[in-house]
């Protein structure tokens, strides 16, 4: 059974059709890449899957359940985490605090516990800190824990977003352009990081424009163009696909 | 972490405040000054709630005077018309305020920025108009007189010193609860929510529910304050609960600095002490000065250094939400 | 019935002159100019002061048309200057901050101006001598209804102002520049338009309209006070939102719809609650269609 399955997902914004009957399946342990020219609908697809938006038509299945239209916070609880294209870090909080927020969906202390400082609250807080540090270690940012998030260079910002997502204990991690703006060294570092995360048991779905990175790291690639899926297969097959080449006409597909 | 020294380090501010506030009746003889301090306590309660809403959760409310009015009129009517026990009436009014906040909060908290501001403004105005027009119930602009003071056994809380202790005790409890909240998991979710609702939702924060919770909590605090005021002054009228009051409340939060709930204390001090000083100079200039003060603060935001810059930075951070990036 | 129609048209006219300013400023800066209500109120007071000069012993000392004309002129100039100053002092420094900061600044400005005028007028209501300026004998009779001179003067002046505005926006270079800036400020600046100048101009034009509206309101209600800017301002804002904030035609449309609703409501349902009607409409629109009748849907950027 696939971990996630999209079935005829469409999304319309007024008159604009951003997604048209997109269907594909993602299996546990895969690293899948979603590529396509600008405006192809990749972030829209992420939003529909992650709950930031709901599809106009079609269904999304996650871990066997129909999760179409479920809100983002419920998807998080169900085991799906995502990062954002223009990183939405909490800049004036520390790196560690950013990641601790990620523990929110796995902890339970509510208003009463907060108001009255019940022992359960203190216990959860300690556990959250530990788990957050653990997530930071997985991406290699443990030594930056007390720094202000806004002070991080771009490469580390992306890693912090990933750490925050990891803190939610996801089974599926959606990465929206994790390599955007990174130099070769940072991209290679990212690649190692992503592979380590997959080896730890987290399935990855990423959107990227950096073709070298995509072809190098993915097991499977889905190509969108004008909201339609035009190709779906292993990287080598995609690179040779004439439709894909046509969609990217003018782009360097090395 | 549970050593006495550790405890003091974490709580010295609160303890100091508690000691000073509760000791005031022993140090102050002037009855007028004592009543000012008592008003500070109830104003403090409202501003604390608003600070949680605006400062922690980032939701603006320009109609909060309405919740204070619900507390005041709720208590007044339940006690004078239905002869209800004042303490029970206070609780009932607070529940009512929470209910109203829940009902109007569900649709309006979906709005953002100035739309939310206008909707809460509209709500505040509607409540004000109802207070004035529903003469059969509220006696309109004549107001309600003869509200009995609070009593507990043999304690008569119309006595200034006694009242001061009572009202500050409650205010301190409210403050402590708010501090606990802001430094908790829930508080963290609010801070995240304020900075980026989208990111917070993706990390499991149910934004709509949290915003509603804080809105209702702030309504309860406001209502309690209104009830206490009603029993102390023993007279209420709609004039005290108009848009100007709502704006002063927001001023209090902004002036005090809303990075932390402590800002509520400074803001309350500023907006209670300052008018008293101005009143001695020129009776009518109070609101005028507030206006100038607020403009100065908000416009001096581009200031780059010094204590004013921190306030400016905080305000900027509040308003830099999804709009950027 | 005709009386109600006339009242609705008159009220709608007054609100329209007021609402245009909100829409214009929102269209170009995406901020709500809370202080606009006070500009409007000060316009009305300019009329009062001018008229006072020409009234001795309850008699006019000059041609009423002249007096009204002078009132309008003074109001337009003063309001225009005031609005441009407000923009410079309270909004321009906050251009880089996101939208709520100017809102708080605007609120503060509004409280400030309202209280300055309150102190100056000692918080008392001031009368406008409509019966002297537009005497009963100038009223027009249609069938059984009497249309007071103030009514048709207001409607007439508003019509002229709206047409003038339309021509200005559509035909003049400045007007087109304003529309360009409202659509895309950055692109407009790339094309050599002085955006700061156009923003000031926008505030100016909106305030001139408000000044005219203030004079007209004084004639309509025969009395003015320092808080009229707030109460009418909420209605004007509601009208602007109803029509689609940022859309000028929408502002006018919304004004007349709101005026009709209020006139009919106050006549058939209840007079005392007529203000509640406006606020109820406001909240309803904000909840169900914040983009208004003629506005574009608010884009959701993720």
């Amino acid at each position: 059974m696939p971990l996630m399955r999209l079935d005829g997902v469409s999304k319309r914004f007024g008159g604009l059709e951003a997604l048209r009957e997109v269907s594909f399946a993602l299996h546990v342990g895969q690293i899948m890449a979603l590529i396509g020219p600008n405006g192809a609908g990749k972030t829209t697809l992420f939003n529909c899957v992650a709950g930031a938006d709901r599809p106009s038509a079609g269904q999304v299945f996650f871990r066997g359940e129909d999760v179409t239209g479920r809100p983002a916070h419920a998807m998080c609880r169900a085991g799906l985490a995502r990062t954002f294209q223009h990183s939405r870090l909490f800049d004036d909080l520390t790196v560690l605090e950013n990641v601790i927020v990620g523990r929110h969906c796995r902890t339970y202390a509510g208003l009463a516990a907060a108001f009255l400082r019940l022992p359960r609250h203190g216990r959860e807080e300690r556990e959250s800190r530990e788990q957050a540090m653990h997530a930071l270690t997985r991406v290699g940012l443990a030594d930056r824990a007390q720094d202000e998030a806004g002070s991080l260079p771009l490469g580390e910002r992306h890693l912090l977003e990933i750490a925050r997502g990891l803190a939610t204990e996801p089974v599926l991690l959606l990465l929206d352009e994790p390599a955007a703006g990174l130099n070769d060294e940072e991209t290679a570092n990212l690649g190692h990081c992503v592979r380590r995360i997959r080896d730890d048991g987290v399935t990855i779905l990423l959107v990227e424009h950096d073709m070298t990175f995509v072809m190098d790291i993915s097991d499977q690639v889905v190509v969108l163009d004008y909201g339609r899926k035009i190709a779906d297969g292993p990287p080598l097959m995609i690179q040779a696909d004439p439709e894909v080449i046509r969609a990217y006409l003018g782009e360097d597909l090395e | 972490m549970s050593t006495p020294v550790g405890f003091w380090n974490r709580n010295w501010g609160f303890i100091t405040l508690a000691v000073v506030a509760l000791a005031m009746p022993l140090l102050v003889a002037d009855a007028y000054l004592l009543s000012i301090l008592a008003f500070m306590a109830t104003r403090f309660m409202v501003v604390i709630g608003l600070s949680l809403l605006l400062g922690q959760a980032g939701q603006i409310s320009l109609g909060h005077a309405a919740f204070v009015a619900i507390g005041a009129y709720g208590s007044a009517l339940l006690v004078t018309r239905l002869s209800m026990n004042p303490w029970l009436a206070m609780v009932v009014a607070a529940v009512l305020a929470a209910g109203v906040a829940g009902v109007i909060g569900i649709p309006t908290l979906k709005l953002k920025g100035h739309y939310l501001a206008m909707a809460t403004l509209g709500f505040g105005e509607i409540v004000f108009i109802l207070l004035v027009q529903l003469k059969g119930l509220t006696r309109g602009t004549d107001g309600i007189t003869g509200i009995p003071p609070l009593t507990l056994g043999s304690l008569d809380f119309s006595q200034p010193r006694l009242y001061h202790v009572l009202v500050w005790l409650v205010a301190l409890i409210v403050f402590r609860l708010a501090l606990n909240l802001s430094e908790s998991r829930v508080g963290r979710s609010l801070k995240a929510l304020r900075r980026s609702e989208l990111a917070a939702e993706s990390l499991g924060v149910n934004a709509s529910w949290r915003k509603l919770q804080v809105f209702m909590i702030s309504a309860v605090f406001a209502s309690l304050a209104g009830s206490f005021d009603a029993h102390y002054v023993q007279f209420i009228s709609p004039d005290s609960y108009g848009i100007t009051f709502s704006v002063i409340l927001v001023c209090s939060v902004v002036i005090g600095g809303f990075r932390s709930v402590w800002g509520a204390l400074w803001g309350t001090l500023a907006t209670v002490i300052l008018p008293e000083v101005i009143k001695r100079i020129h009776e009518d200039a109070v609101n005028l000065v507030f206006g100038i003060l607020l403009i100065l603060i908000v416009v001096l935001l581009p200031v780059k250094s010094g204590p004013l810059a921190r306030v400016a930075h905080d305000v900027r951070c509040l308003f830099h939400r999804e709009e950027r990036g | 019935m005709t009386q109600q129609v006339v009242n609705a048209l008159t009220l709608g006219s007054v609100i329209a002159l007021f609402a245009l300013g909100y829409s214009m400023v929102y269209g170009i800066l995406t901020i709500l100019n809370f202080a606009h209500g006070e500009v409007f109120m000060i316009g009305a007071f300019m009329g009062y002061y001018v008229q006072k000069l020409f009234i001795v012993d309850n008699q006019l000392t000059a041609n009423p048309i002249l007096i009204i004309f002078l009132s309008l002129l003074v109001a337009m100039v003063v309001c225009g200057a005031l609005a441009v100053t407000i923009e410079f002092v309270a909004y321009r420094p906050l251009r880089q901050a996101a939208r709520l900061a100017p809102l708080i600044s605007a609120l503060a400005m509004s409280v400030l101006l309202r209280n300055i005028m309150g102190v100056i007028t000692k918080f008392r209501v001031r009368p406008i001598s409509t019966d002297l300026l537009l005497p009963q004998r100038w009223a027009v009779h249609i069938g059984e209804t009497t249309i007071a001179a103030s009514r048709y003067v207001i409607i007439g002046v508003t019509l002229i102002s709206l047409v003038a505005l339309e021509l200005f926006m559509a035909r003049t270079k400045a007007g087109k520049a304003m529309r360009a800036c409202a659509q895309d400020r950055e692109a407009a600046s790339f094309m050599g338009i002085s955006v700061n100048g156009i923003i000031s101009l926008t505030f100016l034009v909106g305030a001139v309209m408000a000044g005219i509206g203030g004079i007209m309101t004084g004639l309509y209600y025969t009395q003015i006070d320092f808080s009229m800017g707030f109460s009418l301002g909420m209605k004007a804002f509601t009208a602007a939102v109803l029509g689609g904030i940022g859309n000028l035609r929408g502002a006018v449309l919304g004004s007349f719809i709101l005026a009709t609703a209020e006139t009919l409501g106050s006549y058939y349902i209840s007079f005392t609650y007529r203000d509640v009607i406006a606020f109820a409409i406001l909240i309803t629109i904000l909840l169900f269609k914040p983009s208004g009748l003629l506005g574009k849907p608010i884009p959701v950027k993720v």
Side-chain angles (χ1 to χ4, degrees), chain A residues 4 17 22 67 73 107 136 170 174 182 196 198 203 206 215 219:
Chain A
M4 184 177 80
E17 219 175 0
V22 177
V67 295
H73 56 87
T107 49
L136 281 176
L174 267 50
L182 299 189
R196 266 202 311 271
R198 188 268 299 271
T203 310
L206 55 93
M215 296 305 165
D219 304 318

Side-chain angles (χ1 to χ4, degrees), chain B residues 155-324:
Chain B
L155 297 169
D156 179 2
F157 291 108
S158 63
Q159 227 248 70
R161 284 171 212 274
L162 218 50
Y163 179 73
H164 176 106
V165 172
L166 169 71
V167 91
W168 268 103
L169 214 55
V170 175
L172 285 166
I173 293 175
V174 166
F175 190 38
R176 185 73 248 172
L177 290 178
L179 285 174
N180 286 352
L181 182 66
S182 84
E183 289 159 13
S184 70
R185 165 183 175 266
V186 175
R188 200 166 34 237
S189 72
L190 293 179
K191 292 188 175 89
L193 170 51
R194 192 186 90 199
R195 287 162 178 78
S196 170
E197 199 168 311
L198 213 55
E201 285 246 336
S202 75
L203 297 167
V205 177
N206 187 340
S208 315
W209 178 222
R210 281 277 173 248
K211 288 194 277 191
L212 195 65
Q213 279 179 323
V214 180
F215 195 52
M216 288 168 70
I217 290 172
S218 69
V220 166
F221 289 167
S223 168
L224 287 176
S227 297
F228 275 106
D229 276 339
H231 284 291
Y232 190 54
V233 183
Q234 296 169 16
F235 165 74
I236 55 174
S237 84
D239 283 327
S240 329
Y241 307 110
I243 167 88
T244 309
F245 186 41
S246 291
V247 173
I248 291 178
L249 289 174
V250 173
C251 283
S252 308
V253 177
V254 173
I255 291 175
F258 39 76
R259 180 178 284 248
S260 92
V261 185
W262 275 92
L265 181 64
W266 314 128
T268 306
L269 263 168
T271 58
V272 171
I273 304 292
L274 201 59
E276 290 303 311
V277 172
I278 298 169
K279 252 193 239 174
R280 271 155 230 278
I281 305 174
H282 183 6
E283 183 71 42
D284 296 317
V286 178
N287 293 333
L288 205 123
V289 175
F290 271 136
I292 297 180
L293 200 67
L294 201 61
I295 293 181
L296 281 178
I297 286 191
V298 174
V299 169
L300 285 180
L301 292 190
V303 167
K304 289 290 176 202
S305 62
L308 215 54
R310 270 202 92 222
V311 177
H313 181 69
D314 295 340
V315 177
R316 263 198 298 264
C317 283
L318 171 78
F319 297 137
H320 279 193
R321 292 208 265 151
E322 332 262 344
E323 277 96 33
R324 297 297 211 79

Side-chain angles (χ1 to χ4, degrees), chain B residues 16 74 81 103 125 138 179 287 297 316:
Chain B
T16 313
R81 299 287 178 87
V103 166
E125 269 307 290
T138 66
L179 285 174
N287 293 333
I297 286 191
R316 263 198 298 264

Side-chain angles (χ1 to χ4, degrees), chain B residues 54 58 60 62 107-108 111 113-119 121-123 125-126 129-130 133-135 198 243-244 247 250 254 282 284-285 287-292 294-295 298-299 301-302 315-316 318-321 323-324, chain C residues 26 30-32 34 89-91 93-94 96-105 107-112 114-117 119 122-123 230 234 237 241 245 272-273 275-276 279-280 282-283 286-287 290-291 298 301-302:
Chain B
L54 181 60
I60 189 161
L62 289 179
T108 56
L111 301 171
H114 34 234
Y115 290 108
L116 177 62
M118 295 314 292
L121 187 73
F123 162 68
E125 269 307 290
I126 288 182
I129 294 174
L130 290 176
Q133 300 295 354
L134 290 175
K135 296 201 177 58
L198 213 55
I243 167 88
T244 309
V247 173
V250 173
V254 173
H282 183 6
D284 296 317
N287 293 333
L288 205 123
V289 175
F290 271 136
I292 297 180
L294 201 61
I295 293 181
V298 174
V299 169
L301 292 190
V315 177
R316 263 198 298 264
L318 171 78
F319 297 137
H320 279 193
R321 292 208 265 151
E323 277 96 33
R324 297 297 211 79
Chain C
Y26 187 86
T30 344
I31 67 171
L32 290 178
F34 249 111
V89 166
Y91 301 148
L94 299 175
Q96 298 310 315
R99 291 178 236 143
L100 271 189
L103 181 86
I104 303 237
S105 184
L107 259 179
M109 253 308 171
S110 154
V111 167
L112 184 69
R114 190 156 66 239
N115 280 278
I116 288 179
M117 283 311 287
V119 169
K122 303 213 192 341
F123 298 101
F230 174 70
M234 285 301 292
F237 172 75
V241 172
I245 188 111
T272 45
Y273 288 105
D275 288 345
V276 177
F279 292 120
L282 175 68
I283 294 189
L286 286 178
L287 293 184
S291 53
I298 304 167
K301 264 192 118 199
V302 177

